[in-house]
Amino acid sequence: MSTIVGGIFTSHVPAIGAAIAKGVQQEPYWKPFFDGFPPVHRWLEQAKPDVAVVFYNDHGLNFFLDKMPTFAVGAAPRYENADEGWGLPLFKPFEGAPDLSWHIIDHLVGSDFDPTTCQQMLVDHSLAIPFELCWPEAAAWPVKLVPIAINTVQHPLPSPRRCLALGRAVGAALESWDGPERIVILGTGGLSHQLDGERAGFINTAYDRHCLDTLGPDPDALARQDALDIIEQAGSQGVELLNWIAARGALTGRVEEVTRNYHVPISNTAAATMVLANEAPVPA
Ligand code: DHB
Ligand code: FE
């Protein structure tokens, strides 16, 4: 039986990728953000996942405004990174886990979700940068990938309730997977940020802290807002919180916070990192 070891939640600001490429992680601007990762690395060393199921949003690379699936699941043997316009270096390719992807897709469709299935899929900074943060300097990624893209870009957006339900359905699919894999869940993006419009640069630390405090113990409380409430509170790109809510849903056991870091700002974003371990429920 597979094991869901826990969830890693992190911002995916493109400038992080540029900072890694330049090797400036210890400079004063970057250090408070990168200092959040040694505890993540220590946790990964003992959690030893072999597969990462990643909830993220595509920013106009694989999907554009002309074709925008609400939920898309990758089922490719391999995924390439590409740069949708930030001038970032290319990140290493990702080995897929197509059998597990199809198992998840079967389970989702059987649970009345209607995902788009992608046997070819490019992945952008919002997937590659979290991998670089979790496994810096790895010659090859030590985990296989199942990418799950959520539309946080073009309205209408899925509701937080639906994203939590999607995550829970993915968690149930993983629990019914017979393989021996150890699976880590990633949720990327956020926290508060708005890149455009009159509120460009908007950050809401009180709301971010509320989300960090609530995600582990009471994700349903976050799911009672609607997506427009999140935009009002966290900014129009802060709605990437939907990826975190879905990822939290895939943690089916008793969650235990391992570490968190919150630093404002990185670029235009309130940057946050958190690990929730997924402990097996205590038998009744
Ligand atoms: C920034 C943040 C993002 O989530 C993103 O996708 C692009 C840019 C930023 O703060 O610069
Ligand atoms: Fe983003």
Side-chain angles (χ1 to χ4, degrees), residues 12-15 59 86 125 189-190 193 195 237 240 266-269:
H12 62 219
V13 178
H59 297 67
W86 299 100
H125 71 273
H193 61 300
L195 303 179
Q237 282 74 37
E240 291 172 347
I266 289 297
S267 184
N268 288 303
T269 297

Side-chain angles (χ1 to χ4, degrees), residues 56 61-62 76-83 90-95 120-124 127-128 145:
Y56 73 109
L61 174 72
N62 193 73
R78 181 182 158 96
Y79 304 89
E80 300 284 344
N81 168 238
D83 176 27
L90 284 191
F91 298 101
K92 294 181 283 287
F94 304 81
E95 187 183 348
Q120 275 196 333
M121 196 180 198
L122 290 170
V123 293
D124 73 6
L127 194 143
L145 170 64

Side-chain angles (χ1 to χ4, degrees), residues 153 193-202 231 235-238 268:
V153 172
H193 61 300
Q194 173 145 344
L195 303 179
D196 45 21
E198 284 178 14
R199 287 203 311 173
F202 175 79
I231 288 174
S236 47
Q237 282 74 37
N268 288 303

